[in-house]
Amino acid sequence: MTGPTTSCPPDVLWLGLDRAADSWWPLLDARERRRARALPCPLVRRRFIVRRGMVKQVLAHRTGLPPAELTIHTDARGRPTVTAYPRLRFSVSHRGPLAVLAVSGNGSQVGVDVERVSGHRVTPRILAYTLTPSERHFLAGLPSRERIRAFHAVWTAKEAVAKATGRDLASCFTRIDVTLGPAGRHGGPSDGQHLARDLTRPSAAWIVTRPAAPLPGYATALVTLPTSQEERP
């Protein structure tokens, strides 16, 4: 297997979403405002407006465009893009009051994910369809608390790979195998780099890093896909 390669690391910014939406609403375009109005929950709606406005403000700083004139599209694989700036790549993830934005300016695709660690997700049914056999074997040997943490380390890594490559997340459950070594305290996964491998393509592997969240109880993952590794559809 060819060793995984990395590119210049993207910038990672953490966004606090629990703030008034009034100042961010003018930055949204007509399509984004329709989407916001369609959200049934006021809290979810407010956080969406704040998140979108903050992301556009960051991207506007990178491009020189006024935030209200910046339009976010998606490419053929569903990845966000600013059409006039093809080398500007970014990925956004959010959970509760927290969002994370990864931005690359050199054309490298990026994928980032943040999840709140919770034992409610770690059920036999979910483990069965989201993990590879080797991942299930690794988690089975961990104490309950560390198993929960390890599961979220695997889950966020697969989400990050899916976002960077534009793959369907469901296919990543069975095709992407995440190696969680070396072990941290109590035999659980460390907080350093992990490796995600494509079981169907031995040459494809990605280094997964873990940006430190500003709030406790969150799992994170970041994957950078160098331009040379841009996948064919």
Side-chain angles (χ1 to χ4, degrees):
M1 181 181 76
T2 303
T5 60
T6 58
S7 182
C8 186
D11 293 330
V12 176
L13 301 93
W14 291 96
L15 314 175
L17 304 181
D18 278 350
R19 59 187 74 196
D22 295 354
S23 61
W24 304 105
W25 179 257
L27 305 187
L28 274 60
D29 59 29
R31 176 175 49 88
E32 293 164 334
R33 292 181 182 185
R34 287 194 298 271
R35 180 178 172 185
R37 292 189 180 104
L39 295 172
C41 173
L43 177 61
V44 173
R45 186 183 312 122
R46 174 167 55 81
R47 287 176 174 171
F48 168 80
I49 294 168
V50 173
R51 183 177 75 252
R52 198 69 165 188
M54 295 181 80
V55 167
K56 295 184 81 168
Q57 188 176 63
V58 171
L59 298 179
H61 178 73
R62 295 297 189 97
T63 62
L65 294 173
E69 297 179 14
L70 190 148
T71 302
I72 297 174
H73 298 283
T74 55
D75 66 12
R77 299 187 183 184
R79 296 173 294 196
T81 181
V82 179
T83 305
Y85 295 85
R87 293 185 63 79
L88 181 67
R89 313 283 191 167
F90 61 98
S91 179
V92 187
S93 181
H94 63 95
R95 185 60 57 191
L98 191 64
V100 59
L101 168 65
V103 185
S104 168
N106 64 1
S108 298
Q109 292 285 2
V110 294
V112 70
D113 189 50
V114 60
E115 300 290 342
R116 185 173 282 162
V117 177
S118 170
H120 296 300
R121 262 186 174 172
V122 189
T123 66
R125 178 175 175 272
I126 291 179
L127 294 179
Y129 80 82
T130 60
L131 302 184
T132 65
S134 64
E135 291 165 347
R136 289 196 295 272
H137 177 75
F138 179 82
L139 264 66
L142 297 177
S144 177
R145 186 172 181 178
E146 291 301 327
R147 187 180 307 122
I148 294 170
R149 184 166 168 248
F151 169 79
H152 287 83
V154 171
W155 178 285
T156 54
K158 295 189 183 195
E159 283 260 19
V161 169
K163 290 181 177 182
T165 61
R167 295 184 180 191
D168 177 73
L169 178 59
S171 70
C172 288
F173 289 152
T174 56
R175 291 178 57 179
I176 303 301
D177 185 82
V178 182
T179 303
L180 295 181
R185 289 185 303 169
H186 313 300
S190 71
D191 293 323
Q193 294 182 342
H194 296 145
L195 185 66
R197 297 181 298 116
D198 187 336
L199 297 177
T200 66
R201 296 176 57 193
S203 63
W206 304 272
I207 291 176
V208 182
T209 58
R210 308 289 180 177
L215 298 176
Y218 285 84
T220 66
L222 173 68
V223 167
T224 303
L225 180 67
T227 305
S228 61
Q229 286 192 8
E230 181 70 12
E231 297 182 329
R232 295 183 298 272

